[in-house]
Amino acid sequence: MVLSSPRGTSDIFGEDIRYRDFIINTSRELFDVFNYKEIITPVFEHTEVFDRGIGEGTDIVRKEMYTFPDKKGRSLTLRPEGTASVVRAIIEHKLFAGALPLKLFYIENMFRYERPQKGRMREFWQLGVEAAGISDPQIDAEVIWLLNIIFEKLGFKNLKLLVNSVGCGICRQEYIKAFRSYIQPSVESLCEDCKIRYVNNPLRIFDCKIGGCAAILKEAPKIYAHICPDCRQHFDKVTEYLDLLKIDYVIKDDLVRGFDYYTQTIFEIISADLDSAQNALGGGGRYDKLIPQFGGPDMPSIGFAVGIDRTIVLMRQLNISYSLKQDDLSVLIINMENSHKSYCLELLRFLREFGIKSEISHEAKNIGNSIKSAQKNGFSHIIIIGEDEVKSGILSIKDLKEFQQQKINFKNEPEKILNIFRR
Ligand code: HAM
């Protein structure tokens, strides 16, 4: 039996769970403030949801999907992203019938058969939002604001927010014509992947990291310069609102993203501290035609997703810590003598009944080592139980972060103990 998880997957435990909880809890609070409601979709869908949603010419659909037949031969695919599934659910459950915009968020694992590297996995976690049923550029700015503020609240300082417009169906087609004729004389010099992209999805050539392709693109016409007056007006409004919200951004006129569904506004938040091939912590855009293309009503929409695993990698790299919340206050009872087991159990019962996270470390030999172990295991407080404590009933509760200590009589002043953990 192979005792390792499949390539590109990982077990998440220990401190990574604390980072992950911090990212998820911070985002959940913001989703609530921005009035998004949660949706959970199945981990696999009928393959055509992604083929049609993401686009058959995209790298994801061509090369990266985990597709398999079920026992009745139906083709299923593990979700490589969240948007297509959410759109399917909106149409299936007629979620468009309620108040618009429909604002949904999700926190889900995704699967892409990619070459695993630091920050790039085959199974990874995303948190994302979709705001459906509104074309007003103000919502574009609001969605970008939400993406930006998540990273601000997590403690990031030097991220770059990139924005661009990929135009609408009409002006993009015009642009693609101009782009193809620019590339055409150099097609034979493109890499094998880009030769296919040239036919199926030429804009993806901008994403190629191979030197030869990048050199060919140097003088290429930029989509931003080709968008029609309506798309230009929409984009100008988006940037006007971003200015109003005091959000720093850079217009990157050659930014493209790997999904066919995007129209007009696209954006990414990147870090110079990550390898350029996977420097995006999050990204998204407008997809005005996807819901009607799936047979739903005309519902212009926009959303983004953040890579949770990649965000953890960067937080660790930049020494950005997760902050402890009230719920993280917890006590390790350090029992110095075997004979005090019952006393410790009584104390444990008291703490746990009042909802205070607590644990006992029995037969501690060395207080210094026990304190180190408490810190390593994320306990915020310790209570040492020795002969004196049992006799006097007075507990010393030590705060391991603030290095403060309070002495409280366990039997006579239980409220005082609880107050420490209700601060
Ligand atoms: P995406 O750019 O493919 O967009 O993914 C969003 C984020 O997920 C990336 O910026 C990255 O942080 C993370 N990510 C993507 N692939 C991997 C991987 N293999 N390993 C680790 N992290 C990864 C979407 O998925 C769109 N559905 C976003 C969207 C929502 N657009 C509109 N609505």
Side-chain angles (χ1 to χ4, degrees):
M1 188 170 69
V2 188
L3 274 182
S4 61
S5 72
R7 191 162 136 76
T9 68
S10 61
D11 301 306
I12 308 171
F13 58 91
E15 236 198 344
D16 275 346
I17 293 286
R18 297 176 81 81
Y19 279 101
R20 193 185 137 85
D21 283 352
F22 177 57
I23 295 167
I24 290 178
N25 293 340
T26 304
S27 306
R28 272 188 186 279
E29 277 170 25
L30 289 165
F31 293 155
D32 190 42
V33 170
F34 279 68
N35 197 25
Y36 284 80
K37 304 277 184 281
E38 187 162 13
I39 182 165
I40 301 173
T41 62
V43 80
F44 52 85
E45 298 272 352
H46 294 294
T47 302
E48 62 177 328
V49 169
F50 303 118
D51 279 354
R52 291 183 46 200
I54 299 172
E56 283 174 314
T58 60
D59 285 2
I60 294 184
V61 170
R62 277 198 313 116
K63 300 191 293 196
E64 296 172 1
M65 295 208 305
Y66 281 89
T67 296
F68 53 95
D70 72 3
K71 288 192 190 293
K72 291 213 165 143
R74 288 169 290 226
S75 180
L76 301 174
T77 294
L78 297 182
R79 61 179 168 222
E81 61 106 43
T83 312
S85 304
V86 170
V87 163
R88 193 265 311 133
I90 290 175
I91 298 169
E92 180 173 346
H93 305 292
K94 298 193 172 50
L95 300 180
F96 47 79
L100 296 179
L102 173 66
K103 294 166 91 177
L104 299 170
F105 79 88
Y106 47 87
I107 300 169
E108 292 177 335
N109 49 349
M110 308 293 166
F111 305 84
R112 295 184 194 171
Y113 192 82
E114 296 199 80
R115 203 158 51 82
Q117 303 164 47
K118 188 172 164 197
R120 176 179 293 176
M121 312 281 294
R122 289 184 174 168
E123 182 193 19
F124 58 98
W125 285 79
Q126 280 188 344
L127 50 88
V129 303
E130 311 297 344
I134 186 159
S135 60
D136 191 320
Q138 194 169 321
I139 197 92
D140 302 35
E142 211 191 278
V143 165
I144 296 172
W145 171 23
L146 177 53
L147 174 68
N148 198 55
I149 199 172
I150 288 176
F151 287 98
E152 259 177 39
K153 297 273 179 200
L154 292 177
F156 285 93
K157 296 246 152 39
N158 294 317
L159 301 181
K160 209 185 231 179
L161 178 65
L162 310 176
V163 294
N164 193 20
S165 173
V166 289
C168 60
I170 299 162
C171 57
R172 184 149 22 140
Q173 286 319 313
E174 287 303 310
Y175 168 71
I176 287 174
K177 263 193 223 156
F179 182 66
R180 273 214 177 95
S181 26
Y182 166 85
I183 294 283
Q184 209 266 331
S186 321
V187 172
E188 283 315 308
S189 316
L190 292 172
C191 72
E192 289 313 306
D193 264 346
C194 283
K195 281 184 187 144
I196 299 173
R197 289 177 185 139
Y198 173 76
V199 178
N200 292 334
N201 201 351
L203 295 191
R204 284 296 287 167
I205 299 176
F206 278 107
D207 255 2
C208 185
K209 301 288 185 265
I210 294 171
C213 297
I216 293 170
L217 288 178
K218 264 210 168 118
E219 305 291 318
K222 303 289 189 314
I223 192 158
Y224 180 71
H226 277 74
I227 57 177
C228 63
D230 282 355
C231 290
R232 163 82 51 202
Q233 201 187 8
H234 183 98
F235 191 66
D236 287 347
K237 275 280 166 206
V238 175
T239 53
E240 187 185 316
Y241 292 131
L242 290 177
D243 292 336
L244 202 105
L245 291 164
K246 305 215 175 328
I247 294 170
D248 282 335
Y249 61 89
V250 174
I251 299 176
K252 189 166 185 301
D253 61 5
D254 59 354
L255 179 69
V256 291
R257 294 193 24 85
F259 302 88
D260 279 357
Y261 51 60
Y262 287 127
T263 46
Q264 297 192 329
T265 316
I266 57 164
F267 49 93
E268 262 179 17
I269 196 154
I270 63 163
S271 164
D273 295 298
L274 287 169
D275 247 24
S276 69
Q278 52 269 333
N279 63 357
L281 294 166
R286 189 164 263 296
Y287 50 95
D288 289 351
K289 300 290 169 225
L290 186 58
I291 296 182
Q293 184 195 314
F294 267 42
D298 184 21
M299 272 182 100
S301 305
I302 180 165
F304 68 73
V306 166
I308 298 178
D309 316 75
R310 201 173 283 183
T311 304
I312 297 176
V313 168
L314 191 61
M315 285 180 78
R316 281 181 172 281
Q317 192 176 314
L318 300 179
N319 286 323
I320 298 176
S321 182
Y322 47 83
S323 56
L324 290 178
K325 292 188 20 184
Q326 184 120 339
D327 323 344
D328 289 315
L329 297 179
S330 54
V331 191
L332 182 67
I333 303 166
I334 300 176
N335 180 14
M336 303 303 292
E337 308 233 355
N338 212 13
S339 55
H340 302 146
K341 267 191 167 162
S342 315
Y343 187 86
C344 291
L345 189 61
E346 215 184 317
L347 177 59
L348 188 72
R349 188 181 74 121
F350 167 78
L351 293 168
R352 286 188 177 166
E353 275 190 359
F354 282 96
I356 298 164
K357 191 160 98 188
S358 38
E359 191 57 271
I360 304 182
S361 156
H362 282 300
E363 289 188 68
K365 300 254 161 12
N366 174 313
I367 294 194
N369 285 349
S370 302
I371 294 178
K372 272 191 203 138
S373 146
Q375 282 170 322
K376 202 167 147 227
N377 287 299
F379 287 96
S380 62
H381 291 73
I382 53 163
I383 302 177
I384 297 169
I385 303 294
E387 199 65 40
D388 291 349
E389 285 75 17
V390 175
K391 271 197 187 134
S392 65
I394 297 192
L395 302 177
S396 304
I397 304 180
K398 290 189 210 297
D399 184 326
L400 296 178
K401 266 209 135 177
E402 311 285 331
F403 296 105
Q404 283 167 357
Q405 173 166 314
Q406 296 190 51
K407 287 191 179 292
I408 300 174
N409 190 305
F410 170 37
K411 294 277 152 64
N412 302 341
E413 308 170 303
E415 263 307 306
K416 280 197 184 165
I417 299 180
L418 299 180
N419 282 342
I420 293 180
F421 299 98
R422 287 189 188 131
R423 63 175 179 191

